[in-house]
Amino acid sequence: MKLRSYIFIGFFLSLLLSLVPFSGNFTNAATPTAMSTTGFAYAPASVVSFTQGVQKTVLDNGLTVLTKEVHTAPVVSVQVWYKVGSRNEVKGENGLSHQLEHLMFKGTTARPVQFGRLFSALGSQFNAFTSYDETAYFGTVQRDRLEALLTLEADRMENSLIGTEQLKSEKRVVISELQGYENSPGYRLDRAVMRDAFPTRAYGLSVGGTKADVEKFTLEQVRNYYQTYYSPDNATLVITGDFATEPVLKVVKETYGKLAKRGNDEKRTRANVAPSSPVASTTKKAPIVLKQPGSAALLQAVYPLPDIKHPDVPAIDVMDAILTGGRSSRLYQALVESGLASSVSGGAAELIEPGWYDISATAAPGQELGKIAQVLQESLGKLQQQPVTTEELNRAKTQLQASYILGNQDITSQATQLAYNQTIAGDYRFIEKYLAAIAKVTPAQVQQVAKTYLNPAQQTIGFFEPTQPDGKPGTSTGGSGRTVENFSPGKPVDPAELAKYLPPATSTTDSAKQSLPEEFTLNNGLRVLLLGDRSLPTINLSGQINAGTEFDGNQKAGLANLTAANLMNGTKTKNALTLAKTLEDRGAGLNFSTSREGVSVSGEGLSANLPILIQTLADVLQNATFPAEQLELSRQRALTSLKVQLDDPRGLGRQVFQQAIYPENHPFHSFPTFDSLKGITRDDLLGFYQTHYRPDGTTIAIVGDFDPVKVKTLLNQAFDKWQVTGKPPVLKISSVPFPQTSTRLNKVIPGKAEAVTYIGYNGISRKDSRYYAAAILNQILGGDTLSSRLGTEVRDRLGLTYGIYSAFAAGINPGPFLIQMQTAPGDTQKAIASTLGLLKQLREQGVTEAELNTAKRSITNSYPVDLANPSDVSSIILDNSVLGLSRSEIRDFPQQIQAVTMAQIQKVIEDLIKPENLVIVTAGPGDAAPKGG
């Protein structure tokens, strides 16, 4: 079951490297009881309406405006959605919508500067995406910057600067992005399947386009497309958050009302004439088979569906939840629990025109795709032949309902939901009718839609058969300590020059003091942080257990991961399926993931389900049994994951980079190998569990709608018997010096189109006194792909990369300082040379006062947006505690940033920027290496 936001179906194409976590859960289900037996109040989904309070206004020029006041945090979200996507394209101009999306950041006639720099200066968390039916731009800021954000979006709606130089550089960036997708076997299989499923329709084209088409785009072509589709009457403006409606509508009318209609309705609808329902077929098509370089074997099956307004849509979504909604779902049980597949997922794309249902699976090692296809068809046939059980139906409805609420806890997600419904369904209130219909879906309706749409004769199925299934890592090529060319960067962009293009903020935000969590320790040493938030009936739980991969060692690399992966596979009183149903019956989730310094726990659910979350967490932390048959299944999944990682330039590059920085005896050096994973026994897991899973090494943070007194009682009851003796294991981690000279390493992976490069060395810990200065320095250097020095020079001016960024991985212990970028093989050396030139410039010339102040404002202005999401707050207060920071750090962080001086920045540059002592690792196509190196 995929998120029901179809910007995620297929390949969601975002302008930036980081994807904003969208809500797509426009779903609801049966109304549960009002009070649980534990005494925790339950607010049914029917009382949570995200369309209540929405005001719709249509300007004279046709612009649709949706406003919704949400006064839970001093932030606002502004989104502009244009009703244009790959659906509006034809062969020969595939990718035009996506190309235009990129160009919309290149500036306007009045503001001829990179808009990413303007958004960053405002402290906006911003992004953009292109999908099948829409192209959208969004930003979330402190409330006093709302008017500025509206001004910028209105400016580029009518005055975007689409010139020869802009198109030339951004074509290279788009091609870099598209070639990066070519690294993924899943992308290549999806493209082949969709082309075959929809040979005469635009939905069969890749959303991002093709390299061949992008190379041929002309200036006139792009400008005409902009004039046709970027018109007020083809757009929806959504504003959510902490504002007063009437004054804001006045600003909207003044700002957007003067924009003229342009384009042609008839031209807009020319591209796609499709049937209103799937065309019946009597013959089953042969599978598409791709035999190409890769790692894991993949299967993808596609079935035609109706459009979003069809009355079958609610039953189709319930069917999807029954088939692929969690561990208890039919396809997970049939394919993954049987050992045939490592993973299975599904999703229904219900769009403006008839869409499709998609099922994807990754084969387990040694398993045949034909067998997976056979079992898949048997499972679908059973659904067609027999009504689903009441238990399955209720579970599916509850999962959809809970995901609807949990996915809309922040204003950005709420704005996205409103914009999606208005743009795709033609009515922001569509959700209300949909929710009512979901609640009424019957077993007979589920059976009927399965018969209607999961017809084998309408199936398009594809197999990806890797030509290197052994999963061996890429081979090394020669490297050298120097690049093949010198590069002198231009002067950094002057923030003062940028400032003249910034609309003014209306006032200074007088944000309320952030509430601090209550912190206490149970008798057994388990630390707890509680922070109430009554804005929605939800719970967000974050936790960390000091049982990370740093304790593995090289011989048992993968042990911490396998231990965490098996926690939910059974306890003394519940098997894996019972544990899954305990949570999934209530639409709740509990997950464990391993990092170097700990096991992360993430849990979420509606507020009534907090007791279930805590009781399940306590059960698996104290009573996990690690069944042998489940260990073997998880080992097979881990081996598949390792194959995929070693076949991915990002995964292999990061491993080689890290192992070049840290010596073999360092905990950060170890990575799983096929031999280490195969050698781990059940006794190893039990020993690791008993040694490292301790209450005095565990921290839990809970944010949401709860009674603190009841939660404390619940925690004490659940964890009272969890006792340990002795002191927890402690690692002594030695310091790692800078490399003596520069090191160049290159790894060749067959079949890849783009290279990924890592540049850096060991950095600092989070508690290092230089951390805040380093955070500001990083913001200037590469903290933002569009507004940083690296982004401005390497991406924006030279067009050498789709994305480049830098980061200090500062944890309990020092982690690496790194720069990462993706490049075409022929551009890799230029990009590395330009990056080294920028580092030398930074080392020799430092930063300006204006850059320092702009970076401070960017960090501190965007920080309140993080605090507006309860899930993020839960993670922040947990991390602060685990890192040994003050409980008030969540409130003090902006002041710590503002207090940094130029002298401290200069000291950090002197201490931490070492252009002559870098480790440089490139993974990908073989010709990325220096000639003769």
Side-chain angles (χ1 to χ4, degrees):
M1 186 176 75
K2 292 179 182 175
L3 290 177
R4 205 179 165 268
S5 175
Y6 305 119
I7 48 183
F8 277 134
I9 300 294
F11 289 89
F12 170 96
L13 294 169
S14 168
L15 176 62
L16 305 186
L17 281 174
S18 302
L19 294 185
V20 173
F22 268 102
S23 148
N25 313 295
F26 312 131
T27 43
N28 199 349
T31 302
T33 55
M35 185 69 71
S36 71
T37 55
T38 58
F40 280 74
Y42 195 101
S46 56
V47 305
V48 180
S49 171
F50 288 105
T51 61
Q52 185 176 353
V54 176
Q55 183 170 325
K56 179 181 177 181
T57 306
V58 180
L59 303 190
D60 291 342
N61 59 12
L63 178 69
T64 298
V65 184
L66 301 177
T67 53
K68 180 186 177 186
E69 296 182 26
V70 184
H71 299 290
T72 54
V75 297
V76 290
S77 186
V78 172
Q79 303 197 9
V80 179
W81 287 48
Y82 297 93
K83 195 173 181 178
V84 58
S86 58
R87 177 180 68 92
N88 303 92
E89 299 165 2
V90 295
K91 287 184 178 178
E93 62 174 35
N94 185 204
L96 200 47
S97 303
H98 179 224
Q99 181 69 72
L100 181 55
E101 175 217 319
H102 277 248
L103 287 165
M104 289 287 283
F105 282 84
K106 301 295 276 187
T108 64
T109 51
R111 295 179 172 89
V113 292
Q114 166 58 254
F115 262 43
R117 297 187 67 85
L118 298 176
F119 292 135
S120 182
L122 289 174
S124 176
Q125 293 192 5
F126 67 97
N127 214 320
F129 69 84
T130 304
S131 192
Y132 300 102
D133 293 335
E134 75 276 18
T135 307
Y137 305 83
F138 53 94
T140 304
V141 292
Q142 288 191 74
R143 62 186 175 206
D144 58 305
R145 286 157 177 78
L146 169 58
E147 191 170 332
L149 214 50
L150 289 170
T151 300
L152 292 174
E153 287 296 353
D155 189 17
R156 65 176 173 174
M157 181 180 282
E158 187 169 68
N159 305 308
S160 271
L161 195 59
I162 301 172
T164 303
E165 288 304 312
Q166 288 85 1
L167 180 59
K168 181 181 177 183
S169 68
E170 212 59 30
K171 270 189 183 184
R172 294 188 69 175
V173 171
V174 167
I175 289 170
S176 172
E177 178 183 358
L178 296 178
Q179 293 297 94
Y181 298 138
E182 293 291 332
N183 285 351
S184 165
Y187 174 85
R188 286 179 260 146
L189 179 62
D190 178 83
R191 179 176 57 201
V193 169
M194 291 297 288
R195 282 177 178 173
D196 193 71
F198 303 108
T200 61
R201 296 181 53 202
Y203 285 161
L205 302 173
S206 299
V207 171
T210 65
K211 180 181 178 183
D213 281 2
V214 171
E215 285 175 337
K216 290 185 293 187
F217 289 156
T218 66
L219 197 57
E220 182 183 19
Q221 199 176 9
V222 179
R223 283 176 174 171
N224 286 342
Y225 205 74
Y226 174 64
Q227 290 297 326
T228 300
Y229 292 104
Y230 278 59
S231 174
D233 59 323
N234 199 46
T236 297
L237 168 65
V238 181
I239 308 165
T240 56
D242 192 18
F243 63 91
T245 300
E246 290 311 312
V248 165
L249 278 178
K250 183 182 178 187
V251 172
V252 168
K253 289 171 184 175
E254 292 171 351
T255 309
Y256 289 81
K258 62 188 178 184
L259 304 182
K261 276 189 190 182
R262 57 186 198 273
N264 182 304
D265 283 340
E266 183 179 342
K267 192 175 179 182
R268 288 176 192 157
T269 56
R270 80 195 193 292
N272 230 15
V273 179
S276 59
S277 60
V279 177
S281 174
T282 55
T283 57
K284 186 175 180 180
K285 293 191 286 186
I288 299 161
V289 180
L290 298 186
K291 294 186 177 182
Q292 298 174 356
S295 51
L298 308 174
L299 174 150
Q300 182 175 355
V302 165
Y303 304 83
L305 286 185
D307 62 72
I308 192 170
K309 294 183 182 180
H310 196 282
D312 285 347
V313 162
I316 291 169
D317 288 351
V318 173
M319 175 192 76
D320 172 41
I322 290 168
L323 284 173
T324 64
R327 189 168 189 169
S328 62
S329 67
R330 289 195 178 192
L331 291 184
Y332 191 97
Q333 289 294 312
L335 296 175
V336 181
E337 290 289 0
S338 68
L340 287 173
S342 292
S343 64
V344 64
S345 63
E350 294 130 350
L351 306 169
I352 290 177
E353 294 173 3
W356 62 92
Y357 185 62
D358 175 295
I359 298 172
S360 299
T362 301
Q367 298 295 335
E368 295 295 324
L369 291 171
K371 177 64 174 177
I372 294 174
Q374 177 190 337
V375 174
L376 168 63
Q377 189 54 54
E378 290 170 358
S379 299
L380 301 183
K382 185 177 179 182
L383 189 65
Q384 294 166 332
Q385 294 153 16
Q386 301 171 10
V388 299
T389 65
T390 302
E391 178 191 10
E392 285 181 298
L393 185 69
N394 288 340
R395 182 185 306 127
K397 289 182 177 183
T398 304
Q399 285 179 324
L400 292 172
Q401 166 197 351
S403 68
Y404 160 64
I405 299 175
L406 293 166
N408 287 285
Q409 294 184 84
D410 62 286
I411 62 164
T412 302
S413 298
Q414 292 180 40
T416 300
Q417 176 186 290
L418 293 171
Y420 185 87
N421 285 322
Q422 183 64 39
T423 304
I424 309 306
D427 183 1
Y428 74 90
R429 294 163 302 186
F430 169 80
I431 186 65
E432 309 295 352
K433 302 167 194 171
Y434 173 82
L435 298 179
I438 283 283
K440 296 174 183 175
V441 170
T442 65
Q445 287 175 311
V446 174
Q447 186 179 10
Q448 184 56 48
V449 296
K451 286 180 179 178
T452 302
Y453 301 108
L454 302 182
N455 182 348
Q458 294 181 13
Q459 178 197 68
T460 303
I461 191 167
F463 297 157
F464 181 88
E465 297 179 355
T467 56
Q468 52 193 69
D470 55 356
K472 291 179 180 177
T475 58
S476 297
T477 67
S480 81
R482 62 186 187 279
T483 53
V484 296
E485 58 189 289
N486 293 316
F487 177 83
S488 298
K491 289 184 178 179
V493 176
D494 183 3
E497 179 69 15
L498 187 75
K500 70 184 183 185
Y501 299 117
L502 273 173
T506 52
S507 63
T508 302
T509 298
D510 181 23
S511 56
K513 288 273 189 178
Q514 168 65 37
S515 299
L516 299 182
E518 179 184 1
E519 186 172 0
F520 56 92
T521 304
L522 303 185
N523 291 334
N524 57 10
L526 190 151
R527 287 189 296 167
V528 180
L529 299 113
L530 298 180
L531 185 59
D533 180 350
R534 299 281 184 170
S535 59
L536 281 173
T538 59
I539 294 296
N540 295 275
L541 183 150
S542 298
Q544 178 152 314
I545 305 149
N546 296 339
T549 62
E550 62 187 6
F551 291 107
D552 276 356
N554 293 322
Q555 297 305 309
K556 297 291 182 181
L559 175 57
N561 265 309
L562 274 180
T563 305
N566 278 270
L567 289 174
M568 295 290 288
N569 282 339
T571 65
K572 293 174 182 176
T573 57
K574 294 179 180 177
N575 63 20
L577 184 56
T578 303
L579 281 170
K581 287 182 177 179
T582 299
L583 297 170
E584 291 170 8
D585 282 352
R586 296 162 174 83
L590 183 63
N591 296 290
F592 300 87
S593 60
T594 315
S595 65
R596 288 285 169 193
E597 297 185 331
V599 173
S600 296
V601 185
S602 61
E604 61 177 11
L606 301 183
S607 51
N609 297 323
L610 180 56
I612 295 295
L613 275 173
I614 290 177
Q615 288 157 8
T616 305
L617 176 61
D619 190 18
V620 299
L621 291 184
Q622 297 172 79
N623 304 310
T625 54
F626 303 101
E629 70 279 7
Q630 289 288 350
L631 169 58
E632 289 313 308
L633 289 174
S634 63
R635 189 198 313 276
Q636 294 306 307
R637 290 194 288 271
L639 290 168
T640 301
S641 295
L642 179 56
K643 286 183 182 180
V644 172
Q645 178 189 331
L646 296 177
D647 185 54
D648 183 346
R650 292 169 301 178
L652 178 61
R654 181 63 188 263
Q655 175 175 329
V656 173
F657 173 72
Q658 192 123 338
Q659 290 185 326
I661 294 173
Y662 298 103
E664 195 169 335
N665 62 351
H666 194 283
F668 288 6
H669 180 93
S670 69
F671 281 82
T673 66
F674 295 106
D675 288 341
S676 71
L677 287 172
K678 290 174 182 175
I680 293 169
T681 66
R682 180 174 178 271
D683 285 343
D684 291 329
L685 265 67
L686 284 168
F688 191 88
Y689 177 68
Q690 291 160 0
T691 302
H692 298 285
Y693 282 71
R694 303 167 53 105
D696 53 354
T698 301
T699 306
I700 296 172
I702 303 172
V703 174
D705 181 19
F706 56 79
D707 180 333
V709 175
K710 290 179 181 176
V711 172
K712 289 176 186 176
T713 301
L714 188 63
L715 288 166
N716 278 303
Q717 291 172 345
F719 291 102
D720 182 57
K721 294 180 182 178
W722 195 17
Q723 301 292 332
V724 288
T725 57
K727 293 186 177 181
V730 177
L731 280 174
K732 288 187 177 178
I733 298 181
S734 56
S735 61
V736 176
F738 290 111
Q740 292 299 305
T741 59
S742 279
T743 302
R744 288 294 306 273
L745 299 168
N746 296 282
K747 286 285 184 177
V748 178
I749 311 178
K752 301 306 171 187
E754 288 278 289
V756 174
T757 299
Y758 292 89
I759 300 173
Y761 34 64
N762 191 41
I764 59 174
S765 71
R766 177 60 178 85
K767 289 191 77 174
D768 192 298
S769 60
R770 299 168 293 182
Y771 172 79
Y772 299 103
I776 294 171
L777 179 64
N778 185 71
Q779 179 70 17
I780 295 169
L781 175 63
D784 185 303
T785 295
L786 293 184
S787 66
S788 64
R789 284 193 181 187
L790 287 170
T792 298
E793 190 72 30
V794 185
R795 182 201 187 281
D796 213 39
R797 188 174 76 84
L798 300 174
L800 296 175
T801 176
Y802 166 53
I804 183 168
Y805 70 90
S806 62
F808 284 91
I812 298 170
N813 297 291
F817 162 72
L818 60 88
I819 296 168
Q820 180 186 337
M821 58 183 159
Q822 168 188 307
T823 53
D827 289 339
T828 299
Q829 297 313 311
K830 295 177 188 174
I832 291 173
S834 59
T835 300
L836 298 187
L838 285 164
L839 288 173
K840 290 173 183 174
Q841 180 190 62
L842 183 64
R843 174 76 184 189
E844 294 165 5
Q845 301 175 20
V847 303
T848 66
E849 198 76 40
E851 282 183 301
L852 171 60
N853 292 331
T854 300
K856 284 183 181 182
R857 283 195 299 271
S858 181
I859 294 170
T860 57
N861 289 345
S862 67
Y863 186 64
V865 179
D866 294 327
L867 301 184
N869 188 330
S871 178
D872 289 347
V873 171
S874 174
S875 298
I876 290 169
I877 63 175
L878 173 78
D879 291 345
N880 288 343
S881 179
V882 168
L883 291 165
L885 304 173
S886 164
R887 188 167 59 99
S888 64
E889 175 68 16
I890 190 170
R891 180 186 290 172
D892 297 341
F893 176 76
Q895 286 74 39
Q896 299 274 24
I897 291 292
Q898 289 291 2
V900 170
T901 65
M902 181 60 84
Q904 289 173 311
I905 293 289
Q906 290 167 340
K907 180 75 164 67
V908 163
I909 292 173
E910 182 181 339
D911 291 350
L912 302 180
I913 302 300
K914 307 286 185 181
E916 309 300 330
N917 305 86
L918 292 162
V919 171
I920 304 171
V921 173
T922 298
D927 53 355
K931 298 292 186 288

